[in-house]
Amino acid sequence: MIRKIAILLLVPAVGYVGWVIILNMSGGSGGPAPAPQRAEVPVPRPIPLGRQEQLVIPVSGVRPDQLSDTFDDARGEGRVHDAIDIMAPRGTAVIAAAAGTIEKLFDSRLGGRTIYIRRLGGQWMDYYAHLDSYVTGLAEGQKVVQGQLIGTVGSTGDASPEAPHLHYAINMMAPGESWWQGRAINPYPLLVRR
Ligand SMILES: [Zn+2]
């Protein structure tokens, strides 16, 4: 008699747990997701920095121990650097840190001759500035592979002619953002890790 009562109590309890699991699963996949109502509903997040592909140092012949972290340096007019400066003689080869598509070739007062390359997947934009020259034939829409020659180091824009360097930045792009947008992340730890 006691065992029978126990079973009668157990059956609806198992049934309830089963329904809770099914309801939770159906909310998390497929179709346009309803607005999250609980903290445990998965929210799409940017790829963690540590899981970016391994980058190559975008100036030919420069070793990791020759880099210095200038990401947080002040740059006047209330600006922060938000990039790394890689010092090298004028004319040194600038190569693509990662594969991607050239989204914009742009001449600006501060950056001088610049290249914006959006990586495969669209979430990261690599920015190369103060170039002395573009490699011949470089064009917007062109795909580049990692390590491909894209230009040469210079001091165009707001850079000292006595200290040619590549100004290299990585911007994290939200969906729909254009080449001049994004949020800078520090390239230094990504370039020195091995
Ligand atoms: Zn710089």
Side-chain angles (χ1 to χ4, degrees), residues 18-187:
W19 275 111
V20 169
I21 291 169
I22 288 166
L23 287 172
N24 277 341
M25 285 172 66
S26 67
S29 63
Q37 290 167 349
R38 295 158 169 246
E40 64 264 30
V41 172
V43 176
R45 290 213 184 103
I47 301 164
L49 302 186
R51 268 194 258 152
Q52 281 195 56
E53 63 194 292
Q54 177 62 56
L55 304 176
V56 299
I57 294 173
V59 177
S60 182
V62 172
R63 299 186 315 270
D65 61 289
Q66 294 175 301
L67 300 176
S68 53
D69 187 354
T70 53
F71 185 74
D72 292 319
D73 289 8
R75 279 297 186 269
E77 300 174 25
R79 289 176 297 116
V80 180
H81 192 212
D82 281 350
I84 183 174
D85 286 341
I86 304 174
M87 314 309 291
R90 177 192 301 277
T92 307
V94 172
I95 58 179
T101 303
I102 296 177
E103 187 154 318
K104 188 73 180 174
L105 301 177
F106 190 67
D107 247 303
S108 73
R109 180 176 67 88
L110 294 174
R113 198 167 284 125
T114 71
I115 305 174
Y116 293 79
I117 299 180
R118 195 183 286 260
R119 291 191 211 159
L120 311 176
Q123 192 186 341
W124 304 102
M125 184 79 82
D126 292 300
Y127 172 67
Y128 308 81
H130 305 317
L131 300 175
D132 195 53
S133 68
Y134 296 136
V135 72
T136 306
L138 202 73
E140 290 171 5
Q142 179 185 340
K143 291 196 173 3
V144 297
V145 298
Q146 188 176 52
Q148 184 170 333
L149 178 66
I150 53 177
T152 56
V153 171
S155 48
T156 56
D158 184 29
S160 165
E162 287 81 47
H165 64 274
L166 175 70
H167 171 104
Y168 171 65
I170 303 173
N171 289 321
M172 184 164 62
M173 311 299 286
E177 281 193 314
S178 297
W179 57 274
W180 67 89
Q181 298 173 300
R183 185 163 66 81
I185 60 133
N186 190 351

